[in-house]
Amino acid sequence: MNSQVFNYIGLGNVDIGYILIGMAAVIAISIILIIIQMVKLSKLKKKYSVFMQGKDAKSLEKDIIGLYEDNKFIKVSIEKNKNDIRELFKKQELSFQKVGIVKYDAFKQMGGQLSFSLALLNENDCGFIINSVHSTEGCYSYSKEIKNGQCSILLGEEEKQALDMAMGIDS
């Protein structure tokens, strides 16, 4: 078959059967793509109908505004919680967290281990030691300041044990 159109576009010697087979393949691929798009559109319509079930434009707008307000409230709450947690950590760092106590007999004639050394330290190993010495004449209490795990005054054996216990040092 010799056609002026085919000759004009340079396909004058090509068999028309090949052209028809090519066009049939393109049509088949197009039909497959259309079916795939129809399935996707059907799924999207189902999702849309579930989403819109019982809603009109005004109620949908109210829902969206409500979600937006909830989101703003959550953001503000999160920021407040972060600030509160930072403040709590600052306060906790200064509170007494580490405790060490050693009970002992200050004098040999006394029994029952009524004397004690109590170490109270914060996160930075700062605090104090209270030493209470019990004797037959009375009870005497002394305190010594601790800074960074050190005391500027010489510590007795029991005070040193209480300090080591509070700092978690095995002695």
Side-chain angles (χ1 to χ4, degrees):
M1 175 163 163
N2 225 348
S3 168
Q4 286 183 353
V5 175
F6 286 146
N7 286 336
Y8 183 73
I9 61 173
L11 298 174
N13 295 334
V14 176
D15 187 10
I16 192 83
Y18 292 131
I19 294 175
L20 291 176
I21 291 172
M23 287 177 35
V26 168
I27 291 172
I29 291 172
S30 297
I31 290 174
I32 291 171
L33 290 175
I34 288 172
I35 291 172
I36 291 172
Q37 291 304 319
M38 288 174 60
V39 168
K40 287 182 179 180
L41 182 63
S42 172
K43 288 180 182 178
L44 186 62
K45 281 183 180 180
K46 286 179 185 176
K47 287 180 182 179
Y48 178 76
S49 64
V50 168
F51 176 71
M52 293 299 290
Q53 190 173 7
K55 294 182 175 149
D56 58 5
K58 288 188 179 197
S59 66
L60 188 59
E61 182 181 1
K62 285 180 188 177
D63 288 347
I64 291 171
I65 290 172
L67 290 172
Y68 176 74
E69 293 298 322
D70 289 347
N71 192 22
K72 277 180 22 182
F73 174 76
I74 289 170
K75 284 181 179 180
V76 169
S77 296
I78 286 172
E79 201 55 42
K80 181 186 177 309
N81 288 344
K82 284 181 183 178
N83 291 334
D84 289 347
I85 288 170
R86 272 190 223 106
E87 189 66 29
L88 286 171
F89 274 123
K90 284 180 189 176
K91 288 180 180 180
Q92 168 120 15
E93 193 174 77
L94 300 175
S95 67
F96 295 120
Q97 304 173 24
K98 303 174 183 179
V99 177
I101 187 166
V102 175
K103 295 180 74 173
Y104 63 98
D105 288 325
F107 303 101
K108 299 296 179 204
Q109 72 270 19
M110 298 289 298
Q113 293 186 332
L114 299 175
S115 300
F116 65 89
S117 289
L118 173 67
L120 295 172
L121 304 175
N122 64 14
E123 179 77 19
N124 302 317
D125 291 332
C126 295
F128 57 88
I129 294 178
I130 295 175
N131 192 17
S132 179
V133 179
H134 187 77
S135 71
T136 55
E137 289 117 28
C139 183
Y140 303 96
S141 296
Y142 307 95
S143 67
K144 295 180 182 177
E145 185 177 17
I146 305 295
K147 288 187 179 176
N148 298 320
Q150 301 293 318
C151 184
S152 59
I153 302 171
L154 186 64
L155 295 176
E157 181 183 331
E158 292 83 8
E159 293 169 326
K160 178 71 174 135
Q161 287 176 354
L163 180 60
D164 288 347
M165 186 184 297
M167 291 176 35
I169 300 172
D170 294 328
S171 37

